[in-house]
Amino acid sequence: MEPRFLFPHRFKVIGWLIAIPSIILGLFVLINDLSFDFLTVKVPFNYLFADEFLSSDDKGNEFSVFNFTDEIAVIGSIIGLLLIAFSRVKIEDEYVSQIRLESLQWAIYLNFALLIIATLLVYGLAYYMVAIYNMITPLLFFVIRFHYILFFKNNDKGTEHRPIRPTEL
């Protein structure tokens, strides 16, 4: 059966090139509260969810201030991980499709089990951080497990499936 909704194989490399810097940027934003000044934008109206609620310039004009560093990190991480997760491998057969399906199911189960545990154990502003991480963890869990199974896990003896070589990804 031919998978219909997968990206071409070349998108996997593009995904890695986007995801790795975006995830690193996101970690710096979360841990060190990093923001780039050139990504700060002032808009001439009062926006309720702005970084700075309301500022004014020398003339008394009010404006809202936004910094898009964290948005770029999240969007880049999501796009990169989507491209990695849902790009074809060079030889896309039924075995790879089965691993893809099982990895996706496993990632969703693990993600929501961790979310339930965090809901019971984490409170306040720390739970907000759990929600932020929860945006990319299903994709991250899927990518890790899918590539682990393809690269490292040996097939059980007696099965007719061949191991996937790294050159086929």
Side-chain angles (χ1 to χ4, degrees):
M1 182 171 146
E2 183 70 21
R4 298 182 304 177
F5 300 113
L6 295 178
F7 298 111
H9 175 68
R10 67 182 177 275
F11 282 44
K12 188 177 292 282
V13 174
I14 296 168
W16 283 112
L17 293 174
I18 294 171
I20 291 173
S22 297
I23 290 171
I24 292 170
L25 176 63
L27 290 173
F28 277 110
V29 167
L30 287 173
I31 294 169
N32 296 332
D33 199 28
L34 174 74
S35 64
F36 295 118
D37 290 336
F38 68 91
L39 293 174
T40 300
V41 176
K42 296 178 183 178
V43 291
F45 57 85
N46 184 7
Y47 185 70
L48 181 61
F49 301 109
D51 291 340
E52 295 177 15
F53 291 112
L54 195 60
S55 298
S56 59
D57 59 9
D58 297 338
K59 299 175 186 175
N61 297 325
E62 295 180 341
F63 56 87
S64 297
V65 178
F66 299 97
N67 187 283
F68 290 102
T69 306
D70 50 350
E71 285 85 356
I72 289 174
V74 169
I75 292 169
S77 298
I78 291 171
I79 290 172
L81 288 171
L82 278 172
L83 291 175
I84 294 166
F86 299 111
S87 293
R88 296 177 186 268
V89 296
K90 284 189 180 177
I91 300 175
E92 188 77 34
D93 57 6
E94 290 83 15
Y95 177 64
V96 173
S97 295
Q98 183 68 27
I99 292 172
R100 191 180 299 276
L101 177 65
E102 290 172 0
S103 297
L104 185 59
Q105 185 177 11
W106 181 88
I108 295 299
Y109 284 157
L110 177 62
N111 183 68
F112 282 102
L114 292 174
L115 183 60
I116 289 169
I117 292 168
T119 300
L120 295 173
L121 299 176
V122 180
Y123 299 96
L125 192 56
Y127 190 75
Y128 175 71
M129 299 304 290
V130 169
I132 290 173
Y133 290 126
N134 197 40
M135 285 192 289
I136 67 166
T137 52
L139 285 170
L140 197 59
F141 293 154
F142 171 77
V143 166
I144 290 168
R145 184 174 191 273
F146 179 68
H147 288 93
Y148 170 77
I149 297 292
L150 286 181
F151 279 129
F152 301 113
K153 186 164 181 176
N154 294 328
N155 294 321
D156 295 334
K157 293 181 181 179
T159 61
E160 57 194 47
H161 300 298
R162 61 176 175 74
I164 304 296
R165 293 176 188 85
T167 57
E168 295 174 355
L169 295 174

